[in-house]
Amino acid sequence: MKKRQFLGTAALAGLSAAALPSRAAATAAGPTLLTITGAISKPNRGKLDPTRDVMMAKQKISFDKAHAFDYAALTALPAISIKPTLEYDAKPHTLHGPLLLDVVQAAGAQLKDDSKLILRAVDGYAAAVTVAQARAQRWIVATQMDGAPMALGGLGPLWALCDADKVPELAAIPLAGRFGGAPWALYHIEVQA
């Protein structure tokens, strides 16, 4: 399995480098966890490949260029911690990761307050947040919960959310409804300028 994974990664790296200008040919060293598409100016991979990007193709995502982040690239960005009460056990948990806006800006997004970020989870669930909302509510792309990386099959490996306890309009909502716009198992963000 590891040999197959290595060969697939090596082939993808070669295809990506050939498909893009040299300034954008940098590819992720590890598996891609998050792909940013739309109004970005720093792509590091080419267009959607229906064979390699099966899940995106099935979810009707299409793009000519994208910025791919692996875990190391995401955790290299400055990060903050938040401690919202989660609906799953009604207890506060520490979530840690970079600000959502820092992530999309690392992909070269040119953002206005009314720009929308479409956040998509692996199951196809999508939610929209405006740049003004992401800034005011200090949304993060959580990479860790309670000091440990989050697993796929749980809430991870990435979760876009804010500290709902500290946002008056969200804190006023019953706990079970506070995170409806915060997709866990995040894997794709489309920047709509």
Side-chain angles (χ1 to χ4, degrees):
M1 183 66 165
K2 290 185 183 215
K3 181 178 177 184
R4 201 177 338 160
Q5 189 175 29
F6 169 76
L7 292 173
T9 302
L12 180 58
L15 286 173
S16 295
L20 294 171
S22 61
R23 67 175 168 70
T27 58
T32 297
L33 294 185
L34 182 63
T35 302
I36 313 286
T37 63
I40 62 168
S41 63
K42 296 179 183 174
N44 64 359
R45 66 155 286 176
K47 68 180 187 173
L48 178 117
D49 177 339
T51 301
R52 294 188 184 277
D53 303 314
V54 174
M55 186 166 53
M56 286 191 237
K58 286 184 183 243
Q59 292 178 1
K60 310 269 190 262
I61 297 170
S62 180
F63 54 86
D64 291 324
K65 63 182 181 191
H67 190 101
F69 286 93
D70 64 7
Y71 189 78
L74 286 168
T75 58
L77 294 171
I80 66 167
S81 293
I82 61 175
K83 198 166 185 168
T85 303
L86 299 184
E87 65 182 289
Y88 307 107
D89 63 2
K91 295 179 183 175
H93 291 271
T94 302
L95 289 123
H96 183 80
L99 289 167
L100 174 61
L101 295 182
D102 288 350
V103 173
V104 295
Q105 286 175 322
Q110 301 297 316
L111 304 173
K112 300 175 286 192
D113 281 350
D114 62 347
S115 297
K116 283 188 182 173
L117 305 175
I118 309 302
L119 311 171
R120 186 168 281 107
V122 296
D123 64 359
Y125 179 77
V129 62
T130 66
V131 167
Q133 180 183 5
R135 183 179 298 114
Q137 296 176 353
R138 297 189 49 84
W139 280 64
I140 69 169
V141 174
T143 58
Q144 294 183 11
M145 185 167 85
D146 298 329
M150 295 182 294
L152 183 60
L155 295 171
L158 305 175
W159 188 7
L161 77 161
C162 66
D163 190 341
D165 296 350
K166 294 184 177 176
V167 177
E169 60 268 26
L170 294 174
I173 297 171
L175 185 58
R178 289 184 193 169
F179 297 98
W184 42 267
L186 175 75
Y187 87 105
H188 176 255
I189 300 172
E190 178 186 351
V191 179
Q192 295 180 347

